[in-house]
Amino acid sequence: MLSFVKSLANDQDGATAIEYGLIAGLIAVAIITAVTLVGTDLSALFNGIAGKVANATPAS
């Protein structure tokens, strides 16, 4: 039983998996934040273009 507890204490596989999980989670948060910011900027850009098109006078 003591050797089993020692082997669990020295096992690094679980720690590595947790580290990879945390890294993947942080990358996901960064991607979501970037997409949200870019989406907001694009929405404002397209709304500005739509406003200019709506106010444009037709060519005669």
mmCIF file of all heavy atoms in Angstrom:
data_model
loop_
_atom_site.group_PDB
_atom_site.id
_atom_site.type_symbol
_atom_site.label_atom_id
_atom_site.label_comp_id
_atom_site.label_asym_id
_atom_site.label_seq_id
_atom_site.Cartn_x
_atom_site.Cartn_y
_atom_site.Cartn_z
ATOM 1 N N MET A 1 0.828 -1.192 0.000
ATOM 2 C CA MET A 1 0.000 0.000 0.000
ATOM 3 C C MET A 1 0.871 1.255 0.000
ATOM 4 O O MET A 1 0.548 2.221 -0.687
ATOM 5 C CB MET A 1 -0.916 -0.037 1.232
ATOM 6 C CG MET A 1 -1.859 1.113 1.331
ATOM 7 S SD MET A 1 -3.063 0.995 0.016
ATOM 8 C CE MET A 1 -4.124 2.310 0.420
ATOM 9 N N LEU A 2 1.932 1.239 0.744
ATOM 10 C CA LEU A 2 2.827 2.387 0.820
ATOM 11 C C LEU A 2 3.486 2.654 -0.536
ATOM 12 O O LEU A 2 3.623 3.808 -0.935
ATOM 13 C CB LEU A 2 3.891 2.160 1.894
ATOM 14 C CG LEU A 2 4.853 3.319 2.146
ATOM 15 C CD1 LEU A 2 4.088 4.556 2.585
ATOM 16 C CD2 LEU A 2 5.882 2.936 3.186
ATOM 17 N N SER A 3 3.844 1.606 -1.243
ATOM 18 C CA SER A 3 4.472 1.799 -2.564
ATOM 19 C C SER A 3 3.465 2.390 -3.558
ATOM 20 O O SER A 3 3.838 3.175 -4.427
ATOM 21 C CB SER A 3 5.029 0.476 -3.087
ATOM 22 O OG SER A 3 3.977 -0.444 -3.292
ATOM 23 N N PHE A 4 2.185 2.035 -3.418
ATOM 24 C CA PHE A 4 1.146 2.587 -4.286
ATOM 25 C C PHE A 4 0.985 4.089 -4.049
ATOM 26 O O PHE A 4 0.900 4.875 -4.986
ATOM 27 C CB PHE A 4 -0.183 1.868 -4.048
ATOM 28 C CG PHE A 4 -1.331 2.440 -4.840
ATOM 29 C CD1 PHE A 4 -1.401 2.271 -6.208
ATOM 30 C CD2 PHE A 4 -2.340 3.152 -4.203
ATOM 31 C CE1 PHE A 4 -2.447 2.805 -6.939
ATOM 32 C CE2 PHE A 4 -3.389 3.693 -4.924
ATOM 33 C CZ PHE A 4 -3.437 3.510 -6.297
ATOM 34 N N VAL A 5 0.987 4.503 -2.804
ATOM 35 C CA VAL A 5 0.867 5.923 -2.465
ATOM 36 C C VAL A 5 2.093 6.686 -2.964
ATOM 37 O O VAL A 5 1.966 7.793 -3.516
ATOM 38 C CB VAL A 5 0.677 6.113 -0.946
ATOM 39 C CG1 VAL A 5 0.727 7.570 -0.552
ATOM 40 C CG2 VAL A 5 -0.630 5.478 -0.496
ATOM 41 N N LYS A 6 3.286 6.102 -2.820
ATOM 42 C CA LYS A 6 4.497 6.752 -3.320
ATOM 43 C C LYS A 6 4.465 6.889 -4.835
ATOM 44 O O LYS A 6 4.876 7.907 -5.380
ATOM 45 C CB LYS A 6 5.735 5.955 -2.892
ATOM 46 C CG LYS A 6 6.098 6.142 -1.444
ATOM 47 C CD LYS A 6 7.366 5.381 -1.115
ATOM 48 C CE LYS A 6 7.733 5.545 0.336
ATOM 49 N NZ LYS A 6 8.973 4.823 0.680
ATOM 50 N N SER A 7 3.961 5.860 -5.516
ATOM 51 C CA SER A 7 3.904 5.939 -6.977
ATOM 52 C C SER A 7 2.910 7.010 -7.430
ATOM 53 O O SER A 7 3.130 7.682 -8.435
ATOM 54 C CB SER A 7 3.542 4.584 -7.587
ATOM 55 O OG SER A 7 2.201 4.239 -7.293
ATOM 56 N N LEU A 8 1.811 7.183 -6.686
ATOM 57 C CA LEU A 8 0.867 8.252 -7.021
ATOM 58 C C LEU A 8 1.479 9.622 -6.790
ATOM 59 O O LEU A 8 1.244 10.558 -7.561
ATOM 60 C CB LEU A 8 -0.411 8.115 -6.188
ATOM 61 C CG LEU A 8 -1.388 7.021 -6.593
ATOM 62 C CD1 LEU A 8 -2.581 7.002 -5.639
ATOM 63 C CD2 LEU A 8 -1.866 7.202 -8.014
ATOM 64 N N ALA A 9 2.275 9.757 -5.747
ATOM 65 C CA ALA A 9 2.902 11.038 -5.441
ATOM 66 C C ALA A 9 3.945 11.413 -6.487
ATOM 67 O O ALA A 9 4.144 12.592 -6.779
ATOM 68 C CB ALA A 9 3.544 10.986 -4.059
ATOM 69 N N ASN A 10 4.600 10.415 -7.079
ATOM 70 C CA ASN A 10 5.644 10.675 -8.068
ATOM 71 C C ASN A 10 5.114 10.709 -9.502
ATOM 72 O O ASN A 10 5.863 11.018 -10.418
ATOM 73 C CB ASN A 10 6.739 9.611 -7.961
ATOM 74 C CG ASN A 10 7.506 9.723 -6.665
ATOM 75 O OD1 ASN A 10 7.642 10.818 -6.124
ATOM 76 N ND2 ASN A 10 7.996 8.605 -6.168
ATOM 77 N N ASP A 11 3.842 10.408 -9.706
ATOM 78 C CA ASP A 11 3.260 10.354 -11.046
ATOM 79 C C ASP A 11 3.047 11.766 -11.575
ATOM 80 O O ASP A 11 2.371 12.576 -10.954
ATOM 81 C CB ASP A 11 1.937 9.590 -11.004
ATOM 82 C CG ASP A 11 1.363 9.345 -12.381
ATOM 83 O OD1 ASP A 11 2.095 9.530 -13.371
ATOM 84 O OD2 ASP A 11 0.188 8.956 -12.473
ATOM 85 N N GLN A 12 3.620 12.084 -12.723
ATOM 86 C CA GLN A 12 3.515 13.408 -13.318
ATOM 87 C C GLN A 12 2.525 13.462 -14.479
ATOM 88 O O GLN A 12 2.272 14.539 -15.015
ATOM 89 C CB GLN A 12 4.884 13.872 -13.808
ATOM 90 C CG GLN A 12 5.900 14.071 -12.705
ATOM 91 C CD GLN A 12 5.519 15.252 -11.823
ATOM 92 O OE1 GLN A 12 5.076 16.282 -12.308
ATOM 93 N NE2 GLN A 12 5.676 15.088 -10.514
ATOM 94 N N ASP A 13 1.969 12.332 -14.897
ATOM 95 C CA ASP A 13 1.072 12.302 -16.053
ATOM 96 C C ASP A 13 -0.187 13.134 -15.826
ATOM 97 O O ASP A 13 -0.611 13.865 -16.706
ATOM 98 C CB ASP A 13 0.677 10.860 -16.399
ATOM 99 C CG ASP A 13 1.857 10.076 -16.949
ATOM 100 O OD1 ASP A 13 2.798 10.705 -17.452
ATOM 101 O OD2 ASP A 13 1.829 8.830 -16.861
ATOM 102 N N GLY A 14 -0.780 13.045 -14.664
ATOM 103 C CA GLY A 14 -1.984 13.813 -14.372
ATOM 104 C C GLY A 14 -1.717 15.306 -14.359
ATOM 105 O O GLY A 14 -2.499 16.100 -14.862
ATOM 106 N N ALA A 15 -0.585 15.699 -13.818
ATOM 107 C CA ALA A 15 -0.223 17.119 -13.775
ATOM 108 C C ALA A 15 -0.027 17.665 -15.185
ATOM 109 O O ALA A 15 -0.448 18.776 -15.495
ATOM 110 C CB ALA A 15 1.042 17.313 -12.945
ATOM 111 N N THR A 16 0.580 16.872 -16.041
ATOM 112 C CA THR A 16 0.789 17.304 -17.418
ATOM 113 C C THR A 16 -0.541 17.478 -18.129
ATOM 114 O O THR A 16 -0.753 18.451 -18.848
ATOM 115 C CB THR A 16 1.665 16.285 -18.172
ATOM 116 O OG1 THR A 16 2.907 16.145 -17.475
ATOM 117 C CG2 THR A 16 1.938 16.735 -19.588
ATOM 118 N N ALA A 17 -1.457 16.545 -17.921
ATOM 119 C CA ALA A 17 -2.774 16.644 -18.549
ATOM 120 C C ALA A 17 -3.523 17.876 -18.052
ATOM 121 O O ALA A 17 -4.177 18.577 -18.833
ATOM 122 C CB ALA A 17 -3.584 15.386 -18.264
ATOM 123 N N ILE A 18 -3.416 18.173 -16.778
ATOM 124 C CA ILE A 18 -4.073 19.354 -16.222
ATOM 125 C C ILE A 18 -3.452 20.626 -16.795
ATOM 126 O O ILE A 18 -4.163 21.571 -17.145
ATOM 127 C CB ILE A 18 -3.989 19.348 -14.679
ATOM 128 C CG1 ILE A 18 -4.875 18.235 -14.121
ATOM 129 C CG2 ILE A 18 -4.400 20.686 -14.101
ATOM 130 C CD1 ILE A 18 -4.705 18.000 -12.639
ATOM 131 N N GLU A 19 -2.145 20.644 -16.932
ATOM 132 C CA GLU A 19 -1.477 21.814 -17.511
ATOM 133 C C GLU A 19 -1.935 22.039 -18.951
ATOM 134 O O GLU A 19 -2.212 23.171 -19.352
ATOM 135 C CB GLU A 19 0.036 21.630 -17.467
ATOM 136 C CG GLU A 19 0.610 21.722 -16.060
ATOM 137 C CD GLU A 19 2.056 21.278 -15.978
ATOM 138 O OE1 GLU A 19 2.600 20.828 -17.024
ATOM 139 O OE2 GLU A 19 2.640 21.378 -14.900
ATOM 140 N N TYR A 20 -2.011 20.971 -19.739
ATOM 141 C CA TYR A 20 -2.485 21.107 -21.115
ATOM 142 C C TYR A 20 -3.935 21.577 -21.143
ATOM 143 O O TYR A 20 -4.318 22.375 -21.996
ATOM 144 C CB TYR A 20 -2.347 19.792 -21.882
ATOM 145 C CG TYR A 20 -0.929 19.491 -22.318
ATOM 146 C CD1 TYR A 20 -0.353 18.249 -22.083
ATOM 147 C CD2 TYR A 20 -0.172 20.451 -22.981
ATOM 148 C CE1 TYR A 20 0.933 17.970 -22.492
ATOM 149 C CE2 TYR A 20 1.118 20.186 -23.389
ATOM 150 C CZ TYR A 20 1.668 18.940 -23.151
ATOM 151 O OH TYR A 20 2.945 18.680 -23.558
ATOM 152 N N GLY A 21 -4.737 21.103 -20.220
ATOM 153 C CA GLY A 21 -6.124 21.548 -20.138
ATOM 154 C C GLY A 21 -6.227 23.026 -19.813
ATOM 155 O O GLY A 21 -7.044 23.748 -20.396
ATOM 156 N N LEU A 22 -5.409 23.502 -18.891
ATOM 157 C CA LEU A 22 -5.406 24.925 -18.545
ATOM 158 C C LEU A 22 -4.932 25.781 -19.718
ATOM 159 O O LEU A 22 -5.501 26.848 -19.987
ATOM 160 C CB LEU A 22 -4.511 25.173 -17.325
ATOM 161 C CG LEU A 22 -5.044 24.657 -15.998
ATOM 162 C CD1 LEU A 22 -3.968 24.778 -14.918
ATOM 163 C CD2 LEU A 22 -6.289 25.421 -15.596
ATOM 164 N N ILE A 23 -3.909 25.321 -20.409
ATOM 165 C CA ILE A 23 -3.426 26.062 -21.578
ATOM 166 C C ILE A 23 -4.511 26.133 -22.644
ATOM 167 O O ILE A 23 -4.753 27.194 -23.233
ATOM 168 C CB ILE A 23 -2.139 25.420 -22.128
ATOM 169 C CG1 ILE A 23 -0.983 25.627 -21.145
ATOM 170 C CG2 ILE A 23 -1.784 25.980 -23.502
ATOM 171 C CD1 ILE A 23 0.256 24.816 -21.464
ATOM 172 N N ALA A 24 -5.174 25.013 -22.903
ATOM 173 C CA ALA A 24 -6.247 24.996 -23.908
ATOM 174 C C ALA A 24 -7.382 25.932 -23.491
ATOM 175 O O ALA A 24 -7.954 26.639 -24.337
ATOM 176 C CB ALA A 24 -6.767 23.582 -24.096
ATOM 177 N N GLY A 25 -7.710 25.960 -22.214
ATOM 178 C CA GLY A 25 -8.755 26.858 -21.724
ATOM 179 C C GLY A 25 -8.388 28.320 -21.898
ATOM 180 O O GLY A 25 -9.215 29.130 -22.321
ATOM 181 N N LEU A 26 -7.142 28.670 -21.612
ATOM 182 C CA LEU A 26 -6.693 30.056 -21.783
ATOM 183 C C LEU A 26 -6.680 30.460 -23.253
ATOM 184 O O LEU A 26 -7.045 31.589 -23.596
ATOM 185 C CB LEU A 26 -5.304 30.234 -21.171
ATOM 186 C CG LEU A 26 -5.260 30.190 -19.641
ATOM 187 C CD1 LEU A 26 -3.808 30.214 -19.161
ATOM 188 C CD2 LEU A 26 -6.022 31.352 -19.056
ATOM 189 N N ILE A 27 -6.277 29.548 -24.119
ATOM 190 C CA ILE A 27 -6.295 29.835 -25.552
ATOM 191 C C ILE A 27 -7.728 30.047 -26.023
ATOM 192 O O ILE A 27 -8.001 30.957 -26.818
ATOM 193 C CB ILE A 27 -5.592 28.715 -26.342
ATOM 194 C CG1 ILE A 27 -4.086 28.752 -26.062
ATOM 195 C CG2 ILE A 27 -5.865 28.832 -27.837
ATOM 196 C CD1 ILE A 27 -3.328 27.569 -26.615
ATOM 197 N N ALA A 28 -8.658 29.233 -25.532
ATOM 198 C CA ALA A 28 -10.061 29.385 -25.910
ATOM 199 C C ALA A 28 -10.601 30.741 -25.468
ATOM 200 O O ALA A 28 -11.324 31.404 -26.221
ATOM 201 C CB ALA A 28 -10.895 28.249 -25.313
ATOM 202 N N VAL A 29 -10.264 31.158 -24.268
ATOM 203 C CA VAL A 29 -10.715 32.476 -23.780
ATOM 204 C C VAL A 29 -10.138 33.588 -24.644
ATOM 205 O O VAL A 29 -10.843 34.544 -24.999
ATOM 206 C CB VAL A 29 -10.325 32.664 -22.293
ATOM 207 C CG1 VAL A 29 -10.512 34.102 -21.849
ATOM 208 C CG2 VAL A 29 -11.145 31.728 -21.418
ATOM 209 N N ALA A 30 -8.873 33.478 -25.023
ATOM 210 C CA ALA A 30 -8.251 34.493 -25.872
ATOM 211 C C ALA A 30 -8.924 34.548 -27.244
ATOM 212 O O ALA A 30 -9.176 35.641 -27.777
ATOM 213 C CB ALA A 30 -6.759 34.206 -26.025
ATOM 214 N N ILE A 31 -9.238 33.400 -27.809
ATOM 215 C CA ILE A 31 -9.898 33.365 -29.117
ATOM 216 C C ILE A 31 -11.291 33.968 -29.030
ATOM 217 O O ILE A 31 -11.690 34.767 -29.893
ATOM 218 C CB ILE A 31 -9.944 31.924 -29.656
ATOM 219 C CG1 ILE A 31 -8.540 31.464 -30.047
ATOM 220 C CG2 ILE A 31 -10.898 31.809 -30.839
ATOM 221 C CD1 ILE A 31 -8.444 29.994 -30.390
ATOM 222 N N ILE A 32 -12.040 33.617 -28.002
ATOM 223 C CA ILE A 32 -13.394 34.152 -27.840
ATOM 224 C C ILE A 32 -13.348 35.672 -27.682
ATOM 225 O O ILE A 32 -14.154 36.397 -28.272
ATOM 226 C CB ILE A 32 -14.107 33.482 -26.647
ATOM 227 C CG1 ILE A 32 -14.410 32.016 -26.978
ATOM 228 C CG2 ILE A 32 -15.370 34.224 -26.254
ATOM 229 C CD1 ILE A 32 -14.854 31.187 -25.793
ATOM 230 N N THR A 33 -12.400 36.162 -26.901
ATOM 231 C CA THR A 33 -12.267 37.610 -26.707
ATOM 232 C C THR A 33 -11.918 38.312 -28.022
ATOM 233 O O THR A 33 -12.520 39.339 -28.362
ATOM 234 C CB THR A 33 -11.182 37.900 -25.654
ATOM 235 O OG1 THR A 33 -11.537 37.247 -24.434
ATOM 236 C CG2 THR A 33 -11.035 39.389 -25.408
ATOM 237 N N ALA A 34 -10.983 37.743 -28.767
ATOM 238 C CA ALA A 34 -10.576 38.356 -30.037
ATOM 239 C C ALA A 34 -11.725 38.368 -31.035
ATOM 240 O O ALA A 34 -11.964 39.377 -31.707
ATOM 241 C CB ALA A 34 -9.378 37.606 -30.614
ATOM 242 N N VAL A 35 -12.452 37.262 -31.130
ATOM 243 C CA VAL A 35 -13.565 37.190 -32.071
ATOM 244 C C VAL A 35 -14.662 38.170 -31.681
ATOM 245 O O VAL A 35 -15.262 38.819 -32.544
ATOM 246 C CB VAL A 35 -14.099 35.739 -32.162
ATOM 247 C CG1 VAL A 35 -15.420 35.675 -32.888
ATOM 248 C CG2 VAL A 35 -13.086 34.844 -32.844
ATOM 249 N N THR A 36 -14.916 38.310 -30.407
ATOM 250 C CA THR A 36 -15.936 39.246 -29.940
ATOM 251 C C THR A 36 -15.554 40.685 -30.286
ATOM 252 O O THR A 36 -16.376 41.456 -30.786
ATOM 253 C CB THR A 36 -16.129 39.111 -28.422
ATOM 254 O OG1 THR A 36 -16.529 37.774 -28.123
ATOM 255 C CG2 THR A 36 -17.191 40.068 -27.918
ATOM 256 N N LEU A 37 -14.297 41.048 -30.048
ATOM 257 C CA LEU A 37 -13.846 42.408 -30.351
ATOM 258 C C LEU A 37 -13.866 42.679 -31.853
ATOM 259 O O LEU A 37 -14.317 43.737 -32.295
ATOM 260 C CB LEU A 37 -12.448 42.643 -29.795
ATOM 261 C CG LEU A 37 -12.343 42.695 -28.277
ATOM 262 C CD1 LEU A 37 -10.886 42.788 -27.849
ATOM 263 C CD2 LEU A 37 -13.131 43.865 -27.721
ATOM 264 N N VAL A 38 -13.391 41.742 -32.638
ATOM 265 C CA VAL A 38 -13.384 41.921 -34.090
ATOM 266 C C VAL A 38 -14.809 41.970 -34.612
ATOM 267 O O VAL A 38 -15.139 42.776 -35.487
ATOM 268 C CB VAL A 38 -12.576 40.798 -34.773
ATOM 269 C CG1 VAL A 38 -12.767 40.806 -36.282
ATOM 270 C CG2 VAL A 38 -11.095 40.935 -34.438
ATOM 271 N N GLY A 39 -15.687 41.136 -34.073
ATOM 272 C CA GLY A 39 -17.082 41.141 -34.496
ATOM 273 C C GLY A 39 -17.757 42.465 -34.211
ATOM 274 O O GLY A 39 -18.518 42.985 -35.032
ATOM 275 N N THR A 40 -17.478 43.049 -33.067
ATOM 276 C CA THR A 40 -18.052 44.352 -32.713
ATOM 277 C C THR A 40 -17.541 45.437 -33.662
ATOM 278 O O THR A 40 -18.312 46.271 -34.135
ATOM 279 C CB THR A 40 -17.698 44.702 -31.257
ATOM 280 O OG1 THR A 40 -18.176 43.667 -30.399
ATOM 281 C CG2 THR A 40 -18.310 46.017 -30.848
ATOM 282 N N ASP A 41 -16.239 45.411 -33.945
ATOM 283 C CA ASP A 41 -15.662 46.401 -34.865
ATOM 284 C C ASP A 41 -16.232 46.239 -36.269
ATOM 285 O O ASP A 41 -16.539 47.225 -36.940
ATOM 286 C CB ASP A 41 -14.141 46.276 -34.907
ATOM 287 C CG ASP A 41 -13.482 46.732 -33.617
ATOM 288 O OD1 ASP A 41 -14.157 47.429 -32.826
ATOM 289 O OD2 ASP A 41 -12.306 46.399 -33.397
ATOM 290 N N LEU A 42 -16.370 45.006 -36.725
ATOM 291 C CA LEU A 42 -16.932 44.776 -38.054
ATOM 292 C C LEU A 42 -18.385 45.216 -38.130
ATOM 293 O O LEU A 42 -18.825 45.772 -39.138
ATOM 294 C CB LEU A 42 -16.812 43.301 -38.439
ATOM 295 C CG LEU A 42 -15.447 42.845 -38.935
ATOM 296 C CD1 LEU A 42 -15.458 41.348 -39.202
ATOM 297 C CD2 LEU A 42 -15.037 43.598 -40.172
ATOM 298 N N SER A 43 -19.120 44.971 -37.077
ATOM 299 C CA SER A 43 -20.516 45.391 -37.049
ATOM 300 C C SER A 43 -20.622 46.903 -37.161
ATOM 301 O O SER A 43 -21.448 47.424 -37.918
ATOM 302 C CB SER A 43 -21.181 44.906 -35.756
ATOM 303 O OG SER A 43 -22.508 45.335 -35.688
ATOM 304 N N ALA A 44 -19.790 47.613 -36.431
ATOM 305 C CA ALA A 44 -19.794 49.078 -36.504
ATOM 306 C C ALA A 44 -19.389 49.546 -37.897
ATOM 307 O O ALA A 44 -19.984 50.487 -38.445
ATOM 308 C CB ALA A 44 -18.856 49.657 -35.450
ATOM 309 N N LEU A 45 -18.406 48.902 -38.496
ATOM 310 C CA LEU A 45 -17.968 49.263 -39.841
ATOM 311 C C LEU A 45 -19.094 49.075 -40.854
ATOM 312 O O LEU A 45 -19.380 49.965 -41.649
ATOM 313 C CB LEU A 45 -16.757 48.425 -40.246
ATOM 314 C CG LEU A 45 -16.243 48.616 -41.671
ATOM 315 C CD1 LEU A 45 -15.639 49.996 -41.843
ATOM 316 C CD2 LEU A 45 -15.237 47.542 -42.009
ATOM 317 N N PHE A 46 -19.744 47.918 -40.826
ATOM 318 C CA PHE A 46 -20.823 47.651 -41.772
ATOM 319 C C PHE A 46 -22.026 48.563 -41.540
ATOM 320 O O PHE A 46 -22.687 48.974 -42.495
ATOM 321 C CB PHE A 46 -21.241 46.186 -41.723
ATOM 322 C CG PHE A 46 -20.256 45.265 -42.396
ATOM 323 C CD1 PHE A 46 -19.830 44.110 -41.756
ATOM 324 C CD2 PHE A 46 -19.758 45.548 -43.654
ATOM 325 C CE1 PHE A 46 -18.931 43.259 -42.369
ATOM 326 C CE2 PHE A 46 -18.857 44.711 -44.269
ATOM 327 C CZ PHE A 46 -18.434 43.559 -43.633
ATOM 328 N N ASN A 47 -22.318 48.877 -40.295
ATOM 329 C CA ASN A 47 -23.408 49.817 -40.020
ATOM 330 C C ASN A 47 -23.080 51.205 -40.560
ATOM 331 O O ASN A 47 -23.959 51.905 -41.081
ATOM 332 C CB ASN A 47 -23.702 49.889 -38.519
ATOM 333 C CG ASN A 47 -24.432 48.669 -38.021
ATOM 334 O OD1 ASN A 47 -25.128 47.996 -38.778
ATOM 335 N ND2 ASN A 47 -24.262 48.363 -36.741
ATOM 336 N N GLY A 48 -21.818 51.624 -40.448
ATOM 337 C CA GLY A 48 -21.398 52.905 -41.004
ATOM 338 C C GLY A 48 -21.524 52.927 -42.523
ATOM 339 O O GLY A 48 -22.008 53.899 -43.120
ATOM 340 N N ILE A 49 -21.106 51.849 -43.169
ATOM 341 C CA ILE A 49 -21.216 51.752 -44.626
ATOM 342 C C ILE A 49 -22.689 51.741 -45.042
ATOM 343 O O ILE A 49 -23.071 52.419 -46.002
ATOM 344 C CB ILE A 49 -20.486 50.493 -45.141
ATOM 345 C CG1 ILE A 49 -18.977 50.644 -44.942
ATOM 346 C CG2 ILE A 49 -20.812 50.243 -46.615
ATOM 347 C CD1 ILE A 49 -18.184 49.379 -45.199
ATOM 348 N N ALA A 50 -23.513 50.997 -44.319
ATOM 349 C CA ALA A 50 -24.946 50.947 -44.641
ATOM 350 C C ALA A 50 -25.582 52.324 -44.501
ATOM 351 O O ALA A 50 -26.427 52.709 -45.315
ATOM 352 C CB ALA A 50 -25.652 49.947 -43.728
ATOM 353 N N GLY A 51 -25.177 53.087 -43.509
ATOM 354 C CA GLY A 51 -25.704 54.441 -43.328
ATOM 355 C C GLY A 51 -25.303 55.357 -44.480
ATOM 356 O O GLY A 51 -26.113 56.153 -44.969
ATOM 357 N N LYS A 52 -24.055 55.233 -44.931
ATOM 358 C CA LYS A 52 -23.586 56.053 -46.061
ATOM 359 C C LYS A 52 -24.305 55.670 -47.343
ATOM 360 O O LYS A 52 -24.654 56.537 -48.163
ATOM 361 C CB LYS A 52 -22.083 55.918 -46.218
ATOM 362 C CG LYS A 52 -21.295 56.607 -45.118
ATOM 363 C CD LYS A 52 -19.809 56.434 -45.294
ATOM 364 C CE LYS A 52 -19.069 57.096 -44.136
ATOM 365 N NZ LYS A 52 -17.625 56.967 -44.252
ATOM 366 N N VAL A 53 -24.519 54.382 -47.552
ATOM 367 C CA VAL A 53 -25.236 53.928 -48.752
ATOM 368 C C VAL A 53 -26.678 54.415 -48.720
ATOM 369 O O VAL A 53 -27.232 54.849 -49.725
ATOM 370 C CB VAL A 53 -25.156 52.387 -48.879
ATOM 371 C CG1 VAL A 53 -26.094 51.869 -49.944
ATOM 372 C CG2 VAL A 53 -23.733 51.953 -49.170
ATOM 373 N N ALA A 54 -27.305 54.369 -47.569
ATOM 374 C CA ALA A 54 -28.704 54.792 -47.441
ATOM 375 C C ALA A 54 -28.843 56.299 -47.686
ATOM 376 O O ALA A 54 -29.849 56.753 -48.220
ATOM 377 C CB ALA A 54 -29.246 54.432 -46.073
ATOM 378 N N ASN A 55 -27.837 57.075 -47.315
ATOM 379 C CA ASN A 55 -27.897 58.525 -47.473
ATOM 380 C C ASN A 55 -27.368 59.005 -48.815
ATOM 381 O O ASN A 55 -27.437 60.189 -49.118
ATOM 382 C CB ASN A 55 -27.108 59.218 -46.343
ATOM 383 C CG ASN A 55 -27.775 59.022 -45.001
ATOM 384 O OD1 ASN A 55 -28.988 58.869 -44.904
ATOM 385 N ND2 ASN A 55 -26.969 59.024 -43.951
ATOM 386 N N ALA A 56 -26.835 58.099 -49.603
ATOM 387 C CA ALA A 56 -26.257 58.495 -50.892
ATOM 388 C C ALA A 56 -27.371 58.865 -51.870
ATOM 389 O O ALA A 56 -28.451 58.289 -51.870
ATOM 390 C CB ALA A 56 -25.429 57.358 -51.454
ATOM 391 N N THR A 57 -27.056 59.839 -52.701
ATOM 392 C CA THR A 57 -28.042 60.230 -53.726
ATOM 393 C C THR A 57 -27.781 59.387 -54.967
ATOM 394 O O THR A 57 -26.628 59.124 -55.322
ATOM 395 C CB THR A 57 -27.917 61.717 -54.077
ATOM 396 O OG1 THR A 57 -26.574 61.977 -54.507
ATOM 397 C CG2 THR A 57 -28.239 62.569 -52.872
ATOM 398 N N PRO A 58 -28.827 58.966 -55.637
ATOM 399 C CA PRO A 58 -28.631 58.146 -56.829
ATOM 400 C C PRO A 58 -28.028 58.973 -57.976
ATOM 401 O O PRO A 58 -28.280 60.170 -58.093
ATOM 402 C CB PRO A 58 -30.033 57.666 -57.190
ATOM 403 C CG PRO A 58 -30.964 58.554 -56.463
ATOM 404 C CD PRO A 58 -30.227 59.138 -55.295
ATOM 405 N N ALA A 59 -27.235 58.324 -58.777
ATOM 406 C CA ALA A 59 -26.624 58.998 -59.916
ATOM 407 C C ALA A 59 -27.666 59.254 -60.994
ATOM 408 O O ALA A 59 -28.545 58.431 -61.241
ATOM 409 C CB ALA A 59 -25.495 58.156 -60.494
ATOM 410 N N SER A 60 -27.609 60.404 -61.632
ATOM 411 C CA SER A 60 -28.592 60.741 -62.664
ATOM 412 C C SER A 60 -28.022 60.513 -64.036
ATOM 413 O O SER A 60 -26.960 60.791 -64.366
ATOM 414 C CB SER A 60 -29.029 62.206 -62.555
ATOM 415 O OG SER A 60 -29.591 62.429 -61.291
#
